[in-house]
Amino acid sequence: MKLDPKVYQLEFFREKGFTRKQCRVCGEYFWTLNPDQEHCNDAPCVEYYFWELPRVRGLSVRDARRKFIEFFKRHGHEYVEPRPVVARWREDLYLTIASIVAFQPHVTSGIVPPPANPLVIVQPCIRLEDIDFVGLTIGRHLTSFEMGGHHAFNYPDKTVYWKEETVRFAFEFFTKELGIPEDMVTFKESWWEGGGNAGPSFEVTVGGLELATLVFMQYRVVDGKYEPMDIRVVDTGYGIERIAWFSQDVPTAFHAIYGELLDEFRKLLGVAEPPRELLWGAARAAGRLDPEDPESVERYYQVVAERAGLSIREARELLGREAALYTLLDHTKTIALMLGDGIVPSNTGEGYLARLVIRRALRTLRRLGADIELAVLVERQARYWGADYYPRLLSHLDYILRVVRLEEERYSKTLERGLREVTKLLKRKKKLSIDDLITLYDSHGVPPDMVAEAASKLGVNVDVPHNFYALVAKKHGASGAVAREVEEKPKLPRDIEEWARGFPATRRLFHENPYAREFTANLLGVRGSHVILDATLFYPTGGGQLHDTGVLRLCGEEYRVLRVEKVGDVVVHVLDREPSCSSGEAWGRIDWDRRYRLMRHHTAVHVLLGAARRVLGDHVWQAGAEKTPEKARLDITHYELPSREEIRKIEELANSAILARIHVDIEEIDRNTAEKLYGFRIYQGGVPMTPRLRIVRIGDWDVEACFGTHVANTAEIGAIKIVNVEKLQDGVVRFEIVAGSEVARYAASLEDKLDTIASIVGGGRGEAVKRVEKLAEELKEAKRQVSRLRSFLADMLVKSVKATAKSIDGVKVYVMTEELPDENIYREVMLKLSREEPDSITIAVIRRGEDLLMEIGAGSKAAKRVDLRAVAKQLASKGLRGGGKPSHITLYGRGLAEKASKVASEVVEVIASLVSRAGTA
């Protein structure tokens, strides 16, 4: 977006005597008090030189965090506790990528007031868009970091503060709190976009290092266009780790962030500290490094090598190992944070992003050649940070380590299978695209460098993009694009939705009294068979709960309500036919038995979720749910299929909650209050974009923001029976349950099945188990006898077939045309003949009704002379379709059973021709 330069001209700059200049390297404009400054003071326009500046020294990450918070608290900002790194309160984003994300879109759009105004927060963030550069740039890029943000929300009728105050705060913080000389602080003009918002910004750079970004969010981005926001937001991001690095006399951000943990990792990974002159040379030169430019990376190694008096090869090797060490420091912290906030690795959503980081860490570990479990490194991170700012890392440590070990085990198995797929693909294609590399990684877990290595052995060149993992992460929604899969519900026709939006909100009688069965209301509008009332007892489909059905009496006639939907706050009833009037009083009655079964099932799902979390762990999160009158399902995040014992325990706990007769409290409360009281666990079934939330609380068992109808006490559920548990996909487990009266119906259906089984095996229900056990033993014995008879018959057939052998240029050809009761006998004979006669080819002719199946197998010597796939190719013209391996093929011919003998002769002729040709060659 082209901006008027006046946007960046501030009274503060005029007062202090700042000059606007243009960077001689990148051409960007900046403001400075230094009359001799010619560059923007930012990488890659200048080398890092901040170590040479006067400044407050020796701040740890903890010190920098505390100093930032205390400064803004002194300047009237209220401290707000940080959010999780998983953006549970948003449906369009997986990870918390910035501090402002905590307030988007509900606060920035004006739906919900901020928890404080102005406020200060230090938010743990995860960004994967630069994951490929971690380690190489010695600290400029991290996947996990802390963002210090002070935010002000300016409403049309109330301005808190804007550009002038924001820049003054930054200048005072850096000069007074950090002791930086005033003429060393540069404000670089910039533009920022993220999370659907945008605005002009200043990047604060000192000594080559960007320490903060000051964004003045004033636009929303809609279809690539910028629309002014009603609320102007001060959105700042101070790099807490960068401030710590800036203050310390250490070469890299990893030294500043991790301290003694860096030394511990060195020992565990066997990475010796490189020469001091090499490390410091790399630290300074990294300021000019553009990791996206291969030529810049090459120049970087050349410069560092020259300064250290090493060859480029030596410098690259030493810095490569150092970068791998830094990568593992960074990634293991990110893994701990992701799993500590309850992510379950999977093939979709945030679970995919966690798996990506874990697998990249595993690959880095293997390339280093370190003989150590990834879980050992992750545990060190959890203990290091858990004692300070992230206590959940310690409380969830067992889960974190178990999942990391499980992922490492799965990755090894996946990799073995994946490399076989790579070989197959490379035999088909002589060039692999980026999409091919991403597919191989997504589907088979094979990293691109391993693909390139396998390809080189086959003479295929593969270009691996320098930002491969960032591309993969972006594809899976890590960059801030709309990502979450939101459960779709049936849509009304578009014209009906538009029509419905013109009505006032429907009074929700189904919430006011979910036990009511009849009601009266006023008819507001009719469009075909669609009806809108001013109030209704009919629950609309939503929150995974099916809609109500029943009758409506309008204009003296009764109509069936077939379906109920919600458009915003307006409820639309879909009737069995078009009403004869469009106004007047309406009377309605819901199908109460159906509604009550829905209520029981919905509350049962909440109870089941609470039980699953208690048995399986705090990482359990609702991944989907559905409630119908007949049954309910609950999909949860979990890393493996629960055992029978765990399932039984979950069911017992759920029923204990029913026996405890826990009261179900429902109240509408302010969103910020709800989040403070209950945390983000309330967003199990979605995130309502409303200032107030309808909270359903079942004692201390479960609490959720929920739109559905519920019973008043868990005792009303009656009972819960888990009827099925299955792995829906990697990282997601589905529970199916019945509750209340449906438990009795389920039991009755089981009794019917048991009676049927009893009548088949003989005797009554009580004897059914023993009789089935006896039948199972008899079946096992029968199978053993059949196996022995099959083997005996196969031996007899081998002798019989050998007597009819045809010799063709040294290759024996056997033909089996006998009709046998078991097709497996043909295959057993074929295997025996191939093993006993390596120079033989066996043809089995098998009739299947009117069709013909042919199995052809070759011994080891015969297979070298004749590739049976060539046989299949020649027989295709004779109506036989199929294929296989050089030593075994399967062919199928429709309607050829009557011509079996003739077809067998033709097959022998084809084989004879190929054998003869091979002999001549």
Side-chain angles (χ1 to χ4, degrees):
M1 185 175 183
K2 191 173 181 180
L3 294 174
D4 187 332
K6 291 180 181 178
V7 168
Y8 299 102
Q9 294 173 5
L10 304 181
E11 178 62 25
F12 171 73
F13 289 156
R14 190 190 65 77
E15 285 177 11
K16 295 291 293 185
F18 275 80
T19 303
R20 186 176 188 250
K21 294 188 173 186
Q22 188 173 18
C23 179
R24 61 178 171 80
V25 182
C26 68
E28 299 293 336
Y29 288 94
F30 62 91
W31 295 81
T32 180
L33 290 172
N34 183 353
D36 301 323
Q37 187 173 325
E38 295 182 343
H39 52 72
C40 64
N41 227 346
D42 194 11
C45 297
V46 63
E47 286 196 347
Y48 291 141
Y49 65 96
F50 57 85
W51 300 280
E52 302 164 8
L53 303 180
R55 66 201 190 283
V56 169
R57 295 178 186 271
L59 297 177
S60 65
V61 172
R62 180 188 301 164
D63 296 332
R65 184 194 306 133
R66 186 182 65 249
K67 186 175 280 288
F68 176 80
I69 293 170
E70 289 179 352
F71 174 83
F72 283 99
K73 282 174 71 175
R74 290 199 307 271
H75 287 80
H77 295 67
E78 184 177 329
Y79 175 66
V80 172
E81 290 287 338
R83 304 270 179 123
V85 296
V86 189
R88 302 288 190 188
W89 59 95
R90 295 186 61 165
E91 289 190 335
D92 61 341
L93 200 63
Y94 292 130
L95 302 173
T96 309
I97 58 173
S99 60
I100 194 61
V101 164
F103 312 105
Q104 287 175 311
H106 51 288
V107 175
T108 56
S109 63
I111 295 173
V112 179
N117 196 11
L119 62 84
V120 60
I121 184 173
V122 174
Q123 176 63 48
C125 301
I126 293 179
R127 286 187 195 170
L128 304 183
E129 58 193 31
D130 296 319
I131 189 170
D132 300 272
F133 309 141
V134 172
L136 172 64
T137 58
I138 70 164
R140 194 194 317 166
H141 298 99
L142 305 169
T143 59
S144 57
F145 57 92
E146 294 181 20
M147 180 180 286
H150 67 91
H151 302 291
F153 303 89
N154 299 288
Y155 294 85
D157 59 346
K158 181 186 177 184
T159 297
V160 180
Y161 64 78
W162 193 228
K163 297 177 189 175
E164 294 286 348
E165 296 86 347
T166 303
V167 173
R168 287 177 191 271
F169 283 142
F171 189 75
E172 183 180 343
F173 178 77
F174 288 120
T175 57
K176 297 293 194 298
E177 294 295 312
L178 297 189
I180 303 169
E182 292 186 349
D183 61 350
M184 290 292 104
V185 179
T186 302
F187 291 91
K188 178 182 172 184
E189 295 178 5
S190 188
W191 175 262
W192 176 91
E193 284 189 32
N197 300 118
S201 65
F202 287 111
E203 294 171 5
V204 186
T205 59
V206 185
L209 189 65
E210 181 188 337
L211 294 177
T213 302
L214 316 176
V215 178
F216 306 102
M217 187 190 293
Q218 58 192 91
Y219 300 101
R220 67 175 66 88
V221 185
V222 181
D223 297 328
K225 297 180 181 179
Y226 301 102
E227 299 178 356
M229 293 168 58
D230 293 330
I231 303 171
R232 295 174 304 145
V233 181
V234 171
D235 169 24
T236 65
Y238 287 63
I240 299 301
E241 287 90 351
R242 288 194 180 190
I243 291 170
W245 181 23
F246 176 85
S247 74
Q248 296 185 40
D249 294 319
V250 293
T252 77
F254 298 96
H255 289 77
I257 298 166
Y258 296 100
E260 62 189 30
L261 193 60
L262 171 60
D263 298 327
E264 195 173 341
F265 267 51
R266 277 198 194 284
K267 293 175 184 175
L268 291 169
L269 296 169
V271 179
E273 189 168 2
R276 180 179 174 83
E277 58 272 17
L278 176 70
L279 202 51
W280 274 102
R284 295 180 185 280
R288 286 197 181 276
L289 172 61
D290 180 356
E292 298 202 54
D293 180 2
E295 290 183 6
S296 176
V297 175
E298 193 59 34
R299 283 196 304 272
Y300 166 70
Y301 286 124
Q302 288 174 355
V303 169
V304 175
E306 286 173 11
R307 292 178 180 178
L310 300 171
S311 69
I312 294 177
R313 184 187 62 79
E314 288 174 314
R316 190 190 299 274
E317 185 177 328
L318 287 169
L319 290 176
R321 288 182 64 79
E322 197 71 3
L325 167 67
Y326 300 157
T327 296
L328 285 167
L329 272 166
D330 169 89
H331 286 16
T332 49
K333 180 185 179 185
T334 300
I335 292 164
L337 290 173
M338 287 176 132
L339 301 183
D341 271 344
I343 293 183
V344 176
S346 68
N347 291 328
T348 58
E350 62 263 38
Y352 179 92
L353 301 177
R355 177 165 285 170
L356 183 146
V357 180
I358 291 171
R359 290 187 172 178
R360 192 171 191 273
L362 286 168
R363 182 61 183 148
T364 304
L365 199 57
R366 292 186 181 189
R367 291 177 71 178
L368 264 181
D371 185 21
I372 189 171
E373 283 188 338
L374 181 63
V376 172
L377 303 179
V378 174
E379 181 176 6
R380 296 293 199 284
Q381 289 282 5
R383 294 193 183 282
Y384 186 80
W385 296 102
D388 179 23
Y389 201 49
Y390 306 96
R392 61 187 178 279
L393 298 186
L394 294 181
S395 59
H396 296 164
L397 187 57
D398 287 346
Y399 165 72
I400 293 170
L401 299 183
R402 182 171 184 181
V403 166
V404 172
R405 290 193 175 100
L406 189 62
E407 283 297 299
E408 185 163 7
E409 182 184 317
R410 285 174 175 168
Y411 183 52
S412 297
K413 293 176 182 175
T414 301
L415 209 53
E416 288 176 20
R417 294 193 299 268
L419 285 171
R420 290 196 291 270
E421 291 298 322
V422 171
T423 304
K424 289 179 186 176
L425 181 63
L426 288 169
K427 286 179 179 177
R428 294 198 311 269
K429 301 182 74 170
K430 292 301 179 186
K431 188 174 182 181
L432 299 186
S433 65
I434 292 176
D435 287 341
D436 288 328
L437 292 176
I438 291 176
T439 299
L440 285 169
Y441 181 81
D442 271 356
S443 303
H444 305 290
V446 186
D449 58 305
M450 291 188 76
V451 177
E453 189 179 317
S456 66
K457 293 176 182 176
L458 296 172
V460 178
N461 183 48
V462 173
D463 292 322
V464 179
H466 65 275
N467 60 338
F468 174 80
Y469 287 94
L471 293 173
V472 174
K474 185 176 182 180
K475 177 188 172 187
H476 288 269
S479 62
V482 173
R484 269 193 205 283
E485 296 174 7
V486 182
E487 192 171 328
E488 288 291 326
K489 66 177 184 179
K491 298 289 185 183
L492 291 167
R494 185 174 295 179
D495 63 317
I496 297 297
E497 286 196 354
E498 289 301 316
W499 167 72
R501 292 184 198 284
F503 290 89
T506 307
R507 184 179 166 193
R508 302 194 293 254
L509 301 177
F510 51 81
H511 278 166
E512 292 178 17
N513 183 6
Y515 288 87
R517 306 181 187 197
E518 299 180 1
F519 71 102
T520 57
N522 293 312
L523 177 59
L524 299 183
V526 174
R527 171 77 64 96
S529 59
H530 300 84
V531 167
I532 293 174
L533 310 173
D534 66 343
T536 187
L537 262 182
F538 285 92
Y539 180 85
T541 297
Q545 180 176 323
L546 210 56
H547 58 80
D548 285 330
T549 58
V551 295
L552 269 182
R553 186 182 299 144
L554 305 168
C555 319
E557 292 185 57
E558 282 197 359
Y559 301 84
R560 284 293 302 171
V561 177
L562 305 178
R563 186 170 138 215
V564 189
E565 298 291 346
K566 188 164 77 78
V567 179
D569 290 326
V570 177
V571 176
V572 180
H573 308 74
V574 184
L575 309 185
D576 59 348
R577 63 191 190 280
E578 184 175 349
S580 57
C581 63
S582 59
S583 62
E585 190 175 79
W587 170 88
R589 182 181 69 244
I590 63 171
D591 292 334
W592 170 248
D593 177 66
R594 185 177 186 279
R595 155 72 77 80
Y596 194 52
R597 285 186 287 152
L598 281 164
M599 288 165 62
R600 289 170 122 181
H601 275 134
H602 200 147
T603 311
V605 165
H606 285 227
V607 170
L608 182 70
L609 181 60
R613 191 179 298 122
R614 283 162 173 78
V615 173
L616 302 178
D618 279 345
H619 62 277
V620 167
W621 198 271
Q622 180 175 308
E626 183 181 45
K627 304 93 182 178
T628 69
E630 294 76 29
K631 64 179 182 178
R633 68 165 172 82
L634 172 68
D635 301 335
I636 63 167
T637 55
H638 190 53
Y639 48 85
E640 61 186 357
L641 192 68
S643 66
R644 287 184 66 184
E645 187 177 334
E646 287 172 326
I647 294 168
R648 189 168 295 166
K649 183 66 176 173
I650 290 168
E651 186 175 89
E652 287 175 358
L653 267 180
N655 281 296
S656 73
I658 292 171
L659 291 173
R661 304 181 64 84
I662 304 170
H663 184 66
V664 179
D665 291 303
I666 301 176
E667 59 178 335
E668 281 201 8
I669 57 177
D670 172 75
R671 184 192 188 102
N672 289 321
T673 302
E675 291 177 351
K676 277 184 181 179
L677 285 173
Y678 308 117
F680 302 101
R681 283 280 180 196
I682 57 177
Y683 300 125
Q684 294 288 338
V687 186
M689 283 295 105
T690 55
R692 294 177 67 78
L693 300 178
R694 185 172 185 266
I695 299 295
V696 177
R697 184 168 62 86
I698 304 173
D700 61 357
W701 191 263
D702 182 76
V703 58
E704 299 178 34
C706 182
F707 189 77
T709 56
H710 292 272
V711 294
N713 191 289
T714 58
E716 289 187 58
I717 299 172
I720 291 174
K721 178 63 189 168
I722 298 173
V723 298
N724 183 49
V725 180
E726 61 184 333
K727 185 178 178 181
L728 189 62
Q729 64 184 51
D730 209 11
V732 179
V733 175
R734 170 166 290 178
F735 283 78
E736 291 183 354
I737 63 167
V738 290
S741 56
E742 295 304 313
V743 174
R745 285 193 181 92
Y746 177 73
S749 71
L750 291 182
E751 287 177 340
D752 289 344
K753 290 175 183 175
L754 188 57
D755 287 340
T756 302
I757 292 168
S759 67
I760 292 171
V761 300
R765 287 183 194 171
E767 300 171 335
V769 173
K770 286 184 178 180
R771 287 180 177 268
V772 168
E773 287 174 348
K774 185 180 178 183
L775 280 174
E777 281 301 317
E778 290 174 354
L779 179 61
K780 282 181 185 177
E781 180 58 29
K783 284 181 176 179
R784 284 193 289 268
Q785 295 291 351
V786 168
S787 179
R788 283 196 288 269
L789 287 170
R790 185 188 295 129
S791 182
F792 176 76
L793 183 55
D795 289 338
M796 296 291 290
L797 277 170
V798 166
K799 292 176 183 177
S800 172
V801 170
K802 279 184 177 181
T804 63
K806 295 181 181 180
S807 184
I808 304 172
D809 286 348
V811 175
K812 296 174 183 175
V813 178
Y814 301 116
V815 181
M816 288 189 290
T817 58
E818 293 85 352
E819 291 196 34
L820 302 173
D822 185 353
E823 289 183 8
N824 289 317
I825 299 174
Y826 293 103
R827 297 183 180 95
E828 194 164 333
V829 170
M830 188 180 297
L831 285 171
K832 283 178 180 287
L833 286 169
S834 295
R835 282 196 297 266
E836 293 176 11
E837 304 281 353
D839 57 354
S840 70
I841 294 176
T842 305
I843 304 165
V845 182
I846 308 166
R847 293 172 179 81
R848 283 186 177 174
E850 297 179 356
D851 302 331
L852 194 66
L853 177 71
M854 300 194 80
E855 298 269 1
I856 306 176
S860 57
K861 290 182 181 179
K864 290 178 181 177
R865 294 188 65 185
V866 179
D867 186 334
L868 293 184
R869 291 176 299 185
V871 176
K873 194 172 181 180
Q874 290 201 29
L875 291 171
S877 62
K878 300 182 183 298
L880 289 167
R881 306 289 180 185
K885 300 184 294 185
S887 60
H888 184 272
I889 58 173
T890 302
L891 305 173
Y892 194 81
R894 292 191 178 279
L896 295 179
E898 289 184 1
K899 302 176 182 178
S901 298
K902 182 183 177 185
V903 173
S905 299
E906 291 173 343
V907 174
V908 172
E909 287 175 13
V910 170
I911 290 172
S913 169
L914 291 169
V915 169
S916 181
R917 197 180 307 165
T920 304

